[in-house]
Amino acid sequence: MGVPQWAVAAGIAVERWLEAERDQLALWLPVMTGGGIALWFALPGPAAWRVALLMLAAISLAGLAIGQGGRAARALAIGALAAGLGLGLTWLRSDSVARPVLGGPAFATFRARVESIEPLVDRELVRLTLLPDGAGADGQGRPVALPYRIRVNLAEHDMPTPLGRGAIIGLRARLMPPALPAVPGAYDFARVAWFAEIGATGRGFAPVRVIVPSGRGAGIRVTLSQHIESRLTGSAGGIAAALATGDVGAISDADSQAMRRAGLAHLLSVSGLHITAAVAATMLVVMRLLALFPWLARHVRLPLIAAMAGAAAAIGYTLLTGSQVPTIRSCVAALLVLAALAMGREAMTLRLVAAGAMCVMLVRPDSAAGPSFQLSFAAITAIIALHEHPAIREFFGAHEEGRLARVARGLGSLLLTGLVVEIALMPIAVYHFHKAGVYGAFANIVAIPLTTFVIMPLEALALLLDGVGVGGIVWPLVQLPLDALLWLARRVAAAPGAVRSLPAMPDAAFAAMVTGGLWIAVWRTRWRRLGAIPLAIGAIWALTTPPPDILVTGDGRHVAVRTAAGLALLRDRAGAYVRDTLAENGGVDGEPLLLADQPDARCSRDLCMTDVVADGRRWRVLATRSMYRVPIADLVAACRAADIVVSERGLPRKCEPRWLRLDRSTLQHTGGVALTLRTGRVATVLEPGDRHPWRMPPTLERSAGRFGHEAGRRVRSWS
């Protein structure tokens, strides 16, 4: 038929390869679905999404048309359909949660129903999620339209008691629309808030009036957390509460940072480790209790009854801890494991992981873009893929050997598993948090057994004994291993080189590493080695990406400049969040410097000028430090002598720097900006053509009378 012989040979080779990998093909279904979800986030807007859906449909139809019974064409067709499914589900999810957000800063007095209560003990705050009841009013009595859901922080001493979920309260709050990333690559709360249907955040003020009380209290999760925290001292109480309920509000910022730097933060997120411990403990207790009755042991399959009890424990634990994404994923996985055990099938396989991922993505496709989903599934995929390898299974399997050799082999397995998991999680951690731990694998060798076999059983025993009033004899025993865990985290975090900080990596580099890692994990034949190519390309790309030389927040108030001594901030009164954000996205581990203290900077109360050298060229940067007026002639002269001018105010038209002017009017269109001078790259938070709904969300009119019509019209416009 005129087909070149080399093409025929290549097609036959591909078909033979896919025939050998036929058992693994199903694992690519959730991968392609996740790829479609990523495509929705990567493409700029509805026009591009429609084109992508049409192209995926065309690829799928072409694969079906030319398939002729071959696996390659069918796999291509099904993969394209799965990618289209992921893209379409994310688009549908985005439209289904579309709610107008607050148009701008506002002070409002309003009534609202309390949806959830989250104590932030270490910060002496309580976070309330509220559903406003009608419109609010400003200080002059004018109506203020409020979004569907609001999240506010209250000082602990301003909280009325008792306050429970479902109560209707009246309060005054300073509200803001959900914040965009401060600089490119920073945490995107606006996106998270969009899918959570949060239209405003802010700070509430006393007095807070309880208009309609609730008899439900703060909920079993908050009550249990408060009980645990009252029994233990310091951050140990916060960690114990996190292990039981997922509430991390009582852990100090310093200890929370130490846990992250030591690679132990996963212990604070209720996920596979905690669900597995709860299910295993439940099954063990049920089996032992039922075995006491001989008739039941002879006539009933006790493992099946124990599995049903374990399933109930997994579901109950998930509901107790707030049904977060990693908990749901772990619960689904636990249920699938229990079902496999009940049917006599092998439980821990990559098919189980694929099924769990698919279940989560079908319900919450947006979660696949978050670090929680990615870290959870990357860890479990790496573990199972490693131990399914024939060489690993043979070496760490059962052997006829002495106890000492068996213990050494087990420790070696744990160390190897920890190293592989750290390697698998490192790209995700760097992409989202711009930091990667170095000693996490070694810390987890101690921390995971300590948590699983000592802390959690003792905590469960203490809670059980608290039910009869004698738990006080066990809580001191819980304090000791928790203090040991904190000591370990602090020591590892303080070790030289414990954390490597990197600037924001390109999306394409991250995608290449994810693709290479999945290729290696999923396939079983020697062709899996090809995954090392995109993995290496992505890693080299990320490591060689130069850090930005200048970072400017979206409001223009805060500027970070890379000087000879390190990253330096324009203002000395920048808050902790701003300082940490600029340092992380600038690839710096530690406290940034102050620009006015640098020898190359010339700063007054109102202006600051410094030189940045990049690739042998000297760039002069001018930034305003206050809102005070500067004589026009002086400002214009300074602008003409500078290459880059940054200001939170609107600059006069005659202020013309040699290259770039970032003032209030410009930053309103760009958001935060990152400048890499050696390459001339200008990255912005708001990119031209980006039509994702949280970038330009439908906003509320100030007047409550126009709320319904205007909000509905704007929300519908997104579909």
Side-chain angles (χ1 to χ4, degrees):
M1 301 295 291
V3 178
Q5 188 62 34
W6 64 267
V8 174
I12 293 174
V14 169
E15 289 294 335
R16 288 176 177 171
W17 167 51
L18 293 178
E19 176 64 24
E21 295 275 15
R22 60 186 181 275
D23 291 338
Q24 305 300 110
L25 289 175
L27 301 178
W28 286 98
L29 187 63
V31 173
M32 296 305 297
T33 304
I37 295 171
L39 197 61
W40 186 88
F41 283 99
L43 294 176
W49 302 335
R50 294 187 187 99
V51 171
L53 285 174
L54 290 174
M55 292 183 63
L56 291 170
I59 293 172
S60 181
L61 292 174
L64 294 175
I66 66 175
Q68 299 293 327
R71 289 187 185 275
R74 289 204 308 270
L76 181 65
I78 296 173
L81 281 177
L85 175 66
L87 194 156
L89 283 175
T90 314
W91 195 353
L92 180 63
R93 165 77 176 163
S94 176
D95 280 352
S96 68
V97 299
R99 303 274 187 177
V101 305
L102 197 67
F107 279 90
T109 302
F110 58 96
R111 290 164 44 117
R113 183 179 300 275
V114 179
E115 186 178 38
S116 67
I117 303 173
E118 182 184 357
L120 305 176
V121 179
D122 185 63
R123 296 166 56 188
E124 298 183 346
L125 296 172
V126 178
R127 179 170 292 161
L128 302 179
T129 302
L130 306 173
L131 301 176
D133 183 10
D138 63 12
Q140 299 179 356
R142 295 174 298 186
V144 177
L146 298 175
Y148 169 71
R149 180 177 282 122
I150 293 174
R151 199 178 73 180
V152 300
N153 291 337
L154 276 176
E156 284 183 344
H157 55 78
D158 291 338
M159 275 284 292
T161 54
L163 181 65
R165 292 183 302 166
I168 296 178
I169 62 174
L171 75 161
R172 182 172 177 264
R174 182 184 63 217
L175 301 176
M176 296 281 292
L180 291 169
V183 292
Y187 176 63
D188 193 348
F189 177 70
R191 187 186 73 185
V192 175
W194 176 264
F195 287 103
E197 302 178 82
I198 296 174
T201 62
R203 180 67 181 262
F205 303 101
V208 179
R209 299 175 295 112
V210 178
I211 300 172
V212 178
S214 170
R216 293 189 294 171
I220 187 173
R221 182 189 182 200
V222 174
T223 303
L224 181 58
S225 296
Q226 291 175 341
H227 172 76
I228 294 172
E229 291 157 11
S230 68
R231 293 288 189 165
L232 300 167
T233 60
S235 293
I239 294 177
L243 294 175
T245 67
D247 184 359
V248 297
I251 305 174
S252 70
D253 290 340
D255 288 332
S256 180
Q257 180 74 1
M259 294 287 286
R260 286 194 295 269
R261 292 173 64 90
L264 304 179
H266 65 93
L267 299 176
L268 307 179
S269 173
V270 177
S271 55
L273 174 67
H274 310 78
I275 294 289
T276 301
V279 171
T282 302
M283 292 182 65
L284 178 64
V285 171
V286 171
M287 283 283 291
R288 291 294 183 265
L289 290 177
L290 294 180
L292 297 176
F293 302 92
W295 185 89
L296 284 176
R298 290 194 303 267
H299 295 86
V300 179
R301 287 185 59 194
L302 296 187
L304 181 60
I305 302 300
M308 295 173 62
I315 295 172
Y317 194 23
T318 300
L319 295 174
L320 171 65
T321 55
S323 302
Q324 302 298 318
V325 170
T327 318
I328 295 173
R329 188 272 304 166
S330 303
C331 180
V332 170
L335 296 178
L336 292 173
V337 168
L338 294 172
L341 292 175
M343 294 185 295
R345 302 286 299 275
E346 186 179 359
M348 296 302 295
T349 65
L350 286 178
R351 287 179 178 266
L352 167 72
V353 179
M358 201 68 191
C359 290
V360 175
M361 286 188 290
L362 289 175
V363 178
R364 287 283 307 277
D366 55 288
S367 66
S372 177
F373 179 97
Q374 295 170 12
L375 291 169
S376 297
F377 280 100
I380 191 64
T381 299
I383 292 171
I384 295 178
L386 172 68
H387 289 277
E388 281 187 351
H389 193 282
I392 300 298
R393 182 175 291 185
E394 171 65 23
F395 184 79
F396 291 115
H399 290 75
E400 291 291 336
E401 57 188 1
R403 179 175 298 178
L404 184 60
R406 188 163 58 250
V407 171
R409 195 179 297 272
L411 290 175
S413 175
L414 187 61
L415 176 60
L416 178 62
T417 302
L419 288 173
V420 170
V421 169
E422 286 295 322
I423 293 172
L425 299 185
M426 192 171 293
I428 303 173
V430 172
Y431 180 74
H432 289 285
F433 309 119
H434 315 297
K435 290 183 179 181
V438 177
Y439 308 134
F442 304 97
N444 277 288
I445 291 177
V446 177
I448 290 178
L450 179 65
T451 303
T452 307
F453 301 115
V454 179
I455 296 175
M456 294 184 70
L458 283 175
E459 184 176 351
L461 177 61
L463 290 172
L464 184 64
L465 293 179
D466 272 346
V468 294
V470 293
I473 60 176
V474 180
W475 284 112
L477 300 178
V478 181
Q479 181 84 41
L480 293 175
L482 284 169
D483 289 340
L485 180 65
L486 283 168
W487 177 86
L488 174 67
R490 293 163 185 160
R491 291 297 298 269
V492 173
V499 174
R500 173 73 186 276
S501 295
L502 293 170
M505 73 170 68
D507 293 342
F510 180 63
M513 285 189 282
V514 170
T515 301
L518 288 171
W519 189 273
I520 293 172
V522 172
W523 296 128
R524 287 292 171 265
T525 61
R526 66 178 184 273
W527 293 100
R528 69 191 303 179
R529 300 169 188 169
L530 292 176
I533 297 175
L535 187 61
I537 292 174
I540 295 172
W541 191 353
L543 291 172
T544 56
T545 298
D549 297 293
I550 301 173
L551 290 167
V552 182
T553 58
D555 57 6
R557 284 181 52 81
H558 302 286
V559 181
V561 180
R562 192 169 303 279
T563 66
L567 196 70
L569 301 186
L570 175 67
R571 297 174 185 260
D572 57 349
R573 294 188 178 182
Y577 175 77
V578 172
R579 299 173 75 88
D580 291 344
T581 298
L582 293 175
E584 289 174 1
N585 288 273
V588 174
D589 180 29
E591 189 72 11
L593 308 172
L594 183 61
L595 186 59
D597 295 337
Q598 305 309 306
D600 295 336
R602 298 171 297 283
C603 297
S604 67
R605 183 185 63 175
D606 304 315
L607 297 174
C608 203
M609 182 177 289
T610 187
D611 292 336
V612 180
V613 179
D615 279 349
R617 178 179 173 182
R618 186 176 297 274
W619 300 77
R620 179 152 294 178
V621 181
L622 173 68
T624 61
R625 304 182 70 195
S626 72
M627 291 297 290
Y628 295 109
R629 290 185 178 273
V630 178
I632 294 294
D634 295 342
L635 182 60
V636 169
C639 287
R640 290 175 178 172
D643 297 289
I644 302 165
V645 176
V646 182
S647 177
E648 63 181 307
R649 68 180 77 170
L651 296 174
R653 191 171 301 176
K654 293 183 179 180
C655 177
E656 297 177 350
R658 289 191 287 262
W659 184 48
L660 184 64
R661 185 174 78 172
L662 297 174
D663 63 351
R664 182 171 57 194
S665 60
T666 303
L667 292 171
Q668 285 176 348
H669 294 91
T670 64
V673 178
L675 304 177
T676 307
L677 300 179
R678 66 199 70 181
T679 62
R681 182 172 181 265
V682 180
T684 60
V685 169
L686 299 175
E687 298 180 357
D690 188 349
R691 301 288 295 172
H692 287 95
W694 56 88
R695 289 291 184 253
M696 292 183 295
T699 55
L700 293 165
E701 296 293 324
R702 179 179 179 83
S703 171
R706 299 180 62 185
F707 170 81
H709 170 74
E710 183 68 15
R713 183 184 68 79
R714 294 189 179 185
V715 170
R716 284 193 295 272
S717 68
W718 284 108
S719 27

